[in-house]
Amino acid sequence: MVQDANGDSSDRTVLNRRNAIKSLGVTGVALTAGCIGDLNEDEEWPSRPVEIVSPWAAGGGADRTSRAVADAAENHTEVSWNVSNQTGGSGSVGMNAAANSEPNGQTIGCTAPEIALFEHLGIAELSPDDITPIMQYTEMPAALVVNKDAEYSTLDEWISYGESNELQMANSGNGSSWHMAAAGIADEAGVQVEHVSYDGAAPAMTAVANGEADCTAAGAAEVAPQVQDGNLQALGVAFEEQVDALPDTPTLQEQGLDIQIGSWLGHFAPAGIDDETKSAIVDVYESVYEDDQFAEFMNNNDFMRVQRGPDEFSSFLDEQYEYYGNLVEELDISG
């Protein structure tokens, strides 16, 4: 079973020191742009439209929930909120773009477990130390799905097939959280797989629905529409109990696979943002989380609502960094 690690985080000392040096470099750049800062120092956030960067393709959970956040945020601010999709590098392209943006709150990033994976896999020099956590707002248990016409329609049949045949397993990018979930499930099941990367959960699911890949692991809420439409079959959910998104799908655990794994989503600002602006953003996000429009979207689309504010989210990210470091080593995954 894949479990959270409880060791200390002393191995991050070098990373923290590196980021301290990095922050000095950013400060130097900011000082050279002094006149730009002077023009904006009296403006209260948000002074102009806010952009949320979703690091994966349109149609996936990060994209859909970020758009729901943007829509609700317009109820609590006097500016427009927009979402841009900047894909690639298992999410590192979009997250880097947001993390390296001007720390004025006008650009917000969407993040997921990948932020705790990039450095372990050598994908990017980007970790929880490089961002300002704002809020986690959902978690998504992984669901194992296959094509509607697959010759295996149960978990046992999938395992039997995979023991003697190599399965093409789509994921949302090499080193992504759904790659980790897929690898964890395959390892626990003892099946042979070739992992095939796409630019998000939505194209990975489409690949399975079109017969380009045999299976994928993605969020239960993400796969639910295609399961309901009959394009995909769900064989199990990697959670402690059945979920509302797939009410007729048993857990993997009750079918003999002792694993619970998935993903989560949250938003962040760049590192170095001032306390006043951060506080203003957090206030808006707290209003968004309680907003009837946002709650209705989450409930109607079976996204679990889980709220972690800045401090709790920051501690959670540190735990995730250690957890995924151990998981990468355990499953021998490389970027």
Side-chain angles (χ1 to χ4, degrees):
M1 176 177 180
V2 179
Q3 299 178 337
D4 287 350
N6 295 311
D8 62 45
S9 56
S10 59
D11 58 329
R12 303 194 61 193
T13 302
V14 174
L15 295 176
N16 290 331
R17 187 179 300 118
R18 186 204 73 208
N19 287 313
I21 295 171
K22 182 188 298 182
S23 68
L24 289 174
V26 172
T27 302
V29 173
L31 289 172
T32 63
C35 60
I36 296 175
D38 291 342
L39 290 174
N40 297 324
E41 65 180 4
D42 294 328
E43 294 181 347
E44 292 185 2
W45 180 90
S47 60
R48 55 185 184 276
V50 177
E51 177 188 21
I52 298 175
V53 178
S54 173
W56 291 285
D63 172 75
R64 293 171 63 202
T65 58
S66 290
R67 293 182 189 280
V69 168
D71 289 343
E74 291 185 347
N75 299 332
H76 304 280
T77 57
E78 296 181 356
V79 300
S80 62
W81 287 59
N82 308 294
V83 175
S84 67
N85 301 91
Q86 300 185 37
T87 66
S90 300
S92 64
V93 171
M95 285 189 230
N96 257 315
N100 292 322
S101 65
E102 190 72 22
N104 55 16
Q106 300 302 144
T107 302
I108 303 292
C110 181
T111 191
E114 284 77 1
I115 193 73
L117 276 162
F118 294 139
E119 289 191 332
H120 295 302
L121 294 170
I123 291 174
E125 289 190 2
L126 182 65
S127 79
D129 289 330
D130 301 311
I131 65 173
T132 298
I134 299 297
M135 179 180 288
Q136 178 194 349
Y137 54 82
T138 190
E139 67 177 351
M140 300 181 292
L144 174 65
V145 294
V146 301
N147 183 274
K148 63 179 180 179
D149 297 322
E151 57 186 278
Y152 29 80
S153 58
T154 67
L155 181 65
D156 285 342
E157 290 175 355
W158 179 78
I159 292 174
S160 294
Y161 180 90
E163 287 174 339
S164 54
N165 299 275
E166 186 176 69
L167 293 157
Q168 296 281 312
M169 201 162 194
N171 61 55
S172 58
N174 187 45
S176 67
S177 54
W178 296 131
H179 179 195
M180 300 299 292
I185 292 170
D187 181 72
E188 184 70 22
V191 297
Q192 306 173 60
V193 298
E194 178 186 358
H195 295 284
V196 184
S197 297
Y198 293 83
D199 279 337
M205 290 185 292
T206 299
V208 177
N210 291 342
E212 297 171 18
D214 297 313
C215 52
T216 190
E222 293 179 295
V223 304
Q226 294 210 51
V227 171
Q228 292 162 3
D229 290 343
N231 297 321
L232 297 173
Q233 302 178 63
L235 304 186
V237 178
F239 200 53
E240 60 189 7
E241 59 187 12
Q242 288 181 260
V243 298
D244 292 341
L246 298 169
D248 300 322
T249 303
T251 68
L252 295 177
Q253 198 163 25
E254 63 187 284
Q255 298 180 81
L257 292 190
D258 194 13
I259 183 171
Q260 295 178 33
I261 197 166
S263 188
W264 47 263
L265 294 169
H267 284 177
F268 68 90
I273 195 166
D274 66 82
D275 291 342
E276 184 177 353
T277 303
K278 174 185 173 181
S279 179
I281 298 172
V282 170
D283 286 346
V284 169
Y285 267 76
E286 288 177 347
S287 297
V288 165
Y289 190 82
E290 299 299 333
D291 187 276
D292 290 342
Q293 178 180 329
F294 179 71
E296 182 178 7
F297 168 85
M298 298 293 280
N299 292 334
N300 288 347
N301 290 277
D302 295 313
F303 285 103
M304 295 180 180
R305 296 178 71 214
V306 175
Q307 184 179 20
R308 284 188 170 99
D311 293 339
E312 189 179 3
F313 192 15
S314 181
S315 297
F316 175 69
L317 286 171
D318 287 340
E319 294 169 2
Q320 289 281 283
Y321 187 92
E322 186 173 355
Y323 166 67
Y324 278 106
N326 291 333
L327 188 59
V328 166
E329 183 176 354
E330 180 184 334
L331 298 179
D332 193 24
I333 294 176
S334 59

